């Protein structure tokens, strides 16, 4: 039997070997879960410019288009971006649940932090306060504290970090950091205490005692933070939290996945 093959060549005419193919890193893909330019969110255009410059493909996934059948497996990371209240809170929850259960790297900034807490409280802890939470926040309005937001992109707050947390490790073991907080919103203390009883644990607090970051330990990367690392990041100087997230996303892009993950659903085209 004669075996024939077609040899591939590069633009210079040189024969490409198998090693040339397998050693080429996959370009990481990140789902930007949110509503593009919602509330004139300043982080959105900044993220859109930043990601391609860093070598990442970023694709918007509108909250209103996320269903129980939306497939996030083509992405190597999920980022719930600022811009709350979102047009469809349950769409955000579906994306977070997928990242949490399928162990896909997850980052939630600003509204993404509270969404990560609410998703876990509703779908895992099944707290009665969020049992009726749907696409808008009306059922939990009584839990939301008055919001104070600043347009000052240099408004920083001293945060206390939980020793031994993933977040503390990202900062080299620091237990205090100064971070950019544009919005000083929050949820009543009683609910937040009840929501911290499971795998999602708080890892940063401001001086008033209000939690400002949460994480899951047994996960490749699952961090939600009210502060916004994207706003202080440039291609030449990434915030350590964003750097840590993108490092894990890059690794995931070049790690074979197990087919038919039990939490995966039939692929649905994301428009």
């Amino acid at each position: 039997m004669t075996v024939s093959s077609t040899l591939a060549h590069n633009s210079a005419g040189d024969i490409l070997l198998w090693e040339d193919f397998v050693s080429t890193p996959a370009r990481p893909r990140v789902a930007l879960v949110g509503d593009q330019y919602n509330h004139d969110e300043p982080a959105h255009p900044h993220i859109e410019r930043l990601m391609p410059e860093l070598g990442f493909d970023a694709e918007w996934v509108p909250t209103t288009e996320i269903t129980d059948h939306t497939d996030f497996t083509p992405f190597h990371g999920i980022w719930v971006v600022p811009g709350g209240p979102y047009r469809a809170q349950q769409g955000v929850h579906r994306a977070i649940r997928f990242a949490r259960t399928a162990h896909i790297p997850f980052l939630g900034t600003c509204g993404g932090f509270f969404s990560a807490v609410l998703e876990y409280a509703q779908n895992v802890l099944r707290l009665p306060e969020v049992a009726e939470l749907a696409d808008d926040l009306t059922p939990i309005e009584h839990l939301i504290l008055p919001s104070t937001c600043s347009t000052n992109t240099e408004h920083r707050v001293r945060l206390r970090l939980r020793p031994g947390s993933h977040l503390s490790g990202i900062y080299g073991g620091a237990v205090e950091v100064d971070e950019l907080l544009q919005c000083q919103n929050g949820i009543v203390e009683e609910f937040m205490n009840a929501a911290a009883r499971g795998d999602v644990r708080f890892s940063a607090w401001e001086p008033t005692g209000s939690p400002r970051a949460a994480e899951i330990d047994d996960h490749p990367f699952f961090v939600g933070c009210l502060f916004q690392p994207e706003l202080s990041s440039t291609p030449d100087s990434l915030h350590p939290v964003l750097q840590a997230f993108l490092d894990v996303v890059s690794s995931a892009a070049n790690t074979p996945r197990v087919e038919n993950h039990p939490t995966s659903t039939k692929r649905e085209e994301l428009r």
Side-chain angles (χ1 to χ4, degrees):
M1 180 179 357
T2 302
V3 178
S4 62
S5 63
T6 300
L7 298 179
H9 299 74
N10 62 16
S11 58
D14 298 325
I15 295 176
L16 294 177
L17 302 177
W18 172 246
E19 291 82 356
D20 296 318
F21 292 97
V22 298
S23 61
T24 303
R27 189 172 173 91
R29 297 183 64 196
V30 176
L32 302 181
V33 174
D35 304 303
Q36 192 176 25
Y37 307 142
N38 201 24
H39 314 301
D40 295 322
E41 175 56 55
H44 292 180
H46 189 73
I47 293 171
E48 288 178 332
R49 291 190 301 267
L50 182 66
M51 295 296 279
E53 292 188 53
L54 295 172
F56 290 78
D57 290 332
E59 180 178 334
W60 282 98
V61 184
T63 64
T64 54
E65 297 183 12
I66 303 173
T67 72
D68 286 333
H69 301 290
T70 300
D71 182 14
F72 284 94
T73 57
F75 297 101
H76 307 106
I78 294 175
W79 183 354
V80 176
V81 300
Y86 302 100
R87 292 172 186 158
Q89 185 66 32
Q90 283 304 311
V92 178
H93 283 199
R94 293 181 183 107
I96 295 172
R97 183 179 65 217
F98 192 93
R100 177 173 54 79
T101 58
H103 281 210
I104 292 179
F106 167 81
L107 176 65
T109 56
C110 201
F113 159 64
F114 285 117
S115 294
V117 175
L118 291 172
E119 186 278 325
Y120 194 80
Q122 185 177 50
N123 293 325
V124 179
L125 299 179
R126 302 196 181 279
L127 298 183
E129 295 92 335
V130 290
E132 302 302 319
L133 179 59
D135 277 343
D136 63 68
L137 301 180
T138 302
I140 64 167
E141 282 183 346
H142 63 289
L143 299 176
I144 301 175
L145 299 174
S147 177
T148 302
C149 293
S150 171
T151 57
N152 181 4
T153 57
E154 294 301 323
H155 180 249
R156 294 183 175 272
V157 175
R158 174 57 58 99
L159 300 180
R160 173 176 56 88
L161 306 182
R162 174 164 55 84
S165 64
H166 185 195
L167 194 60
S168 176
I170 288 173
Y171 290 96
V175 294
E176 284 190 343
V177 293
D178 291 324
E179 280 300 346
L180 176 62
L181 268 173
Q182 281 197 294
C183 290
Q184 296 291 97
N185 55 343
I187 297 179
V188 297
E189 182 179 357
E190 293 78 10
F191 174 81
M192 294 298 275
N193 289 339
R197 291 185 290 123
D199 291 336
V200 175
R201 302 179 61 196
F202 295 126
S203 52
W205 298 261
E206 65 170 88
T208 63
S210 299
R212 293 302 184 232
E215 61 186 59
I216 293 179
D217 292 334
D218 188 21
H219 195 282
F221 191 99
F222 191 102
V223 172
C225 52
L226 186 62
F227 55 89
Q228 295 180 249
E230 62 274 4
L231 290 181
S232 60
S233 290
T234 67
D236 298 324
S237 179
L238 279 183
H239 186 286
V241 171
L242 187 53
Q243 180 73 69
F245 170 64
L246 294 180
D247 283 347
V248 178
V249 170
S250 294
S251 178
N254 291 282
T255 301
R257 287 181 179 169
V258 177
E259 295 295 326
N260 300 320
H261 189 284
T263 61
S264 298
T265 55
K266 181 181 291 187
R267 176 171 298 182
E268 172 180 307
E269 183 178 357
L270 300 176
R271 297 180 298 278

